[in-house]
Amino acid sequence: DAGFDPAVYEERRVKREEAKAKAAAEGREPRYRPKIGSVRYWPKCPRECRVFVGNIKYGTRWQDVRDHMAQAGKVDFGKIIKTAKEREDGSVQYVSRGYAIVQYATVEDAQNAIQTLNESAINGRTIYVKADESYNRNRAKEQTEGEAVNAGEELNPKP
């Protein structure tokens, strides 16, 4: 295989094992590096910086969405949300769910996107842009669960 060097792969594996051993010797968990696209990977920002882009045509590339949304301001990060679909041969294919989350550099850019790009078109389909409510909903859920635990209540009491 072009570009695959077993020595480099082995060197990286040894380095990971050494880091795990060092963390265990210090009595702590090894450092977690989130995967690209995971919620923890997203840059920190105020909740108003994220917008929901819906009705995206299947097969639309992230670069097309980014270029379109950049008309309203500087796009820091974003992702077309996908779901796993199992094929007949047992392999997994990730297909678009038809929407994306876009994070802007400033709150003003996000508000500008909501006002100017709502009901615009990407790849011949009209999209809608609104504030990302899932970010708020997830934060509220975490806060409610934390308050219940702090108050000494059980979230799922057993009958």
Side-chain angles (χ1 to χ4, degrees):
D1 288 335
F4 177 75
D5 185 3
V8 172
Y9 177 79
E10 181 63 21
E11 181 181 321
R12 289 180 184 164
R13 187 192 64 75
V14 168
K15 191 173 180 179
R16 278 193 311 270
E17 293 299 324
E18 288 172 354
K20 286 180 185 177
K22 181 180 177 185
E26 294 173 357
R28 62 178 176 82
E29 291 289 322
R31 187 178 73 129
Y32 170 73
R33 180 177 295 164
K35 294 180 181 174
I36 293 176
S38 103
V39 175
R40 293 180 183 164
Y41 184 83
W42 288 52
K44 300 264 186 230
C45 75
R47 65 178 185 222
E48 294 85 11
C49 288
R50 291 188 184 166
V51 296
F52 176 92
V53 183
N55 201 30
I56 295 175
K57 188 175 185 178
Y58 297 103
T60 301
R61 297 175 314 148
W62 163 242
Q63 191 63 44
D64 297 335
V65 175
R66 182 185 184 103
D67 292 344
H68 183 76
M69 300 307 288
Q71 296 173 25
K74 182 176 183 271
V75 175
D76 270 355
F77 197 80
K79 183 177 181 185
I80 293 179
I81 307 302
K82 298 182 178 185
T83 187
K85 179 181 175 186
E86 191 170 335
R87 295 181 178 173
E88 291 179 10
D89 63 357
S91 63
V92 177
Q93 176 185 15
Y94 291 92
V95 294
S96 170
R97 294 185 64 188
Y99 68 93
I101 306 295
V102 177
Q103 180 173 312
Y104 283 94
T106 65
V107 175
E108 292 79 20
D109 290 345
Q111 292 300 321
N112 185 30
I114 292 169
Q115 293 170 358
T116 59
L117 298 178
N118 190 30
E119 297 184 2
S120 60
I122 298 177
N123 290 346
R125 184 178 281 190
T126 302
I127 61 166
Y128 57 92
V129 181
K130 62 182 185 176
D132 180 22
E133 297 167 2
S134 66
Y135 186 79
N136 298 336
R137 187 172 46 245
N138 290 342
R139 288 278 194 216
K141 182 180 177 185
E142 288 173 7
Q143 187 177 21
T144 304
E145 288 175 357
E147 289 171 359
V149 170
N150 290 338
E153 303 169 8
E154 286 188 42
L155 292 175
N156 297 317
K158 296 178 183 157

